[in-house]
Amino acid sequence: MTQTPFKGTAAQNYNQGPPRQVPGFDGLHKMSSQLLAERMPDTGRLLVLGAGGGLELEMLGDQHAGWRFDGVDPSADMLALARETVGAHESRVSLHHGYIDDAPDGPFDGALCLLTFHFIARDQRLPTLKSIHSRMRKGAPLVLAHISFPQEEPERSLWIARHVAFAGTSPDKAEAACEAIATRLTILSPQEEEAMLREAGFENVSLFYAGLSFKGWIAYAA
């Protein structure tokens, strides 16, 4: 991973961030639910990578009463927050501390990974996608969304500045925030993201969401 897993106060306050930082956050959740439901059965089993915080687990639990969930996250503190967040859906949610190789073998009827892949080091991106694919039924949907924009300059620096500005960063902290994003996150271009999905064994890769610096794809296990 490119950064230490969220813990302590950062974990406790995590769920306040995405609705403010991600354009159309609620819409992203609604679209993800819709796209997964196109292929998943009413009693389907969903793999959620980067499940700490539990916001997507809560939303999907509300909308799909028959689904069961396996959530994976490297932060014990974030998983503790997820347990609090899922509330009444706790009996349908199994949480696993670790990375993708610590997830159950499946087979899963679908997979979801929101706002996580930009924390995964480049050399682990393709192996992670392959590990997700190996746990999915043929034809099962994967919904994936995270930071992705062109990596050539000056476009790269411009997109980083846009990302920081949208988050409402104060001017006196903007330069440090831009430096942190440029050096601590692993950000690929949309073209490289899609090529990597295909190399990992997914087909019919389609962009369904573009919110400033964030992109989202739907793809299916071949």
Side-chain angles (χ1 to χ4, degrees):
M1 303 286 282
T2 59
Q3 105 172 14
T4 302
F6 290 97
K7 59 183 179 180
T9 303
Q12 294 169 12
N13 297 331
Y14 175 82
N15 283 353
Q16 301 173 21
R20 173 175 57 84
Q21 298 167 349
V22 181
F25 179 74
D26 289 341
L28 172 60
H29 272 188
K30 184 177 180 180
M31 288 184 282
S32 298
S33 174
Q34 176 183 331
L35 292 169
L36 290 168
E38 286 178 350
R39 294 281 188 101
M40 285 185 60
D42 291 341
T43 56
R45 186 182 180 193
L46 182 71
L47 172 64
V48 181
L49 181 63
L55 290 176
E56 59 265 65
L57 292 170
E58 179 188 34
M59 177 273 299
L60 292 169
D62 288 344
Q63 296 189 9
H64 304 283
W67 286 7
R68 293 170 295 125
F69 308 93
D70 283 272
V72 186
D73 199 279
S75 168
D77 289 348
M78 289 288 283
L79 290 177
L81 177 59
R83 288 187 186 92
E84 295 178 8
T85 303
V86 299
H89 308 307
E90 184 178 5
S91 63
R92 293 187 286 132
V93 177
S94 298
L95 297 175
H96 310 274
H97 184 208
Y99 299 92
I100 184 59
D101 290 339
D102 299 297
D105 291 336
F108 289 94
D109 301 297
L112 175 70
C113 186
L114 300 183
L115 313 181
T116 297
F117 257 62
H118 46 249
F119 295 121
I120 300 177
R122 179 183 292 270
D123 63 355
Q124 291 301 310
R125 295 282 281 265
L126 182 58
T128 298
L129 286 171
K130 288 182 175 180
S131 290
I132 294 172
H133 182 275
S134 72
R135 289 166 164 79
M136 299 174 69
R137 298 184 190 277
K138 182 177 176 61
L142 166 66
V143 170
L144 186 71
H146 48 264
I147 300 172
S148 175
F149 47 72
Q151 294 301 293
E152 298 80 15
E153 293 292 359
E155 289 86 358
R156 182 174 186 268
S157 294
L158 176 60
W159 278 108
I160 291 174
R162 288 167 171 168
H163 178 93
V164 169
F166 185 86
T169 307
S170 61
D172 61 310
K173 297 180 179 178
E175 183 176 351
C178 287
E179 177 67 16
I181 291 169
T183 58
R184 298 180 187 176
L185 301 184
T186 300
I187 302 172
L188 308 182
S189 71
Q191 294 80 5
E192 190 172 0
E193 298 276 8
E194 294 180 13
M196 197 173 287
L197 280 163
R198 295 187 181 96
E199 186 177 354
F202 293 95
E203 60 185 5
N204 298 328
V205 179
S206 299
L207 182 75
F208 75 89
Y209 163 77
L212 208 62
S213 53
F214 294 86
K215 305 292 184 296
W217 294 268
I218 176 73
Y220 304 91

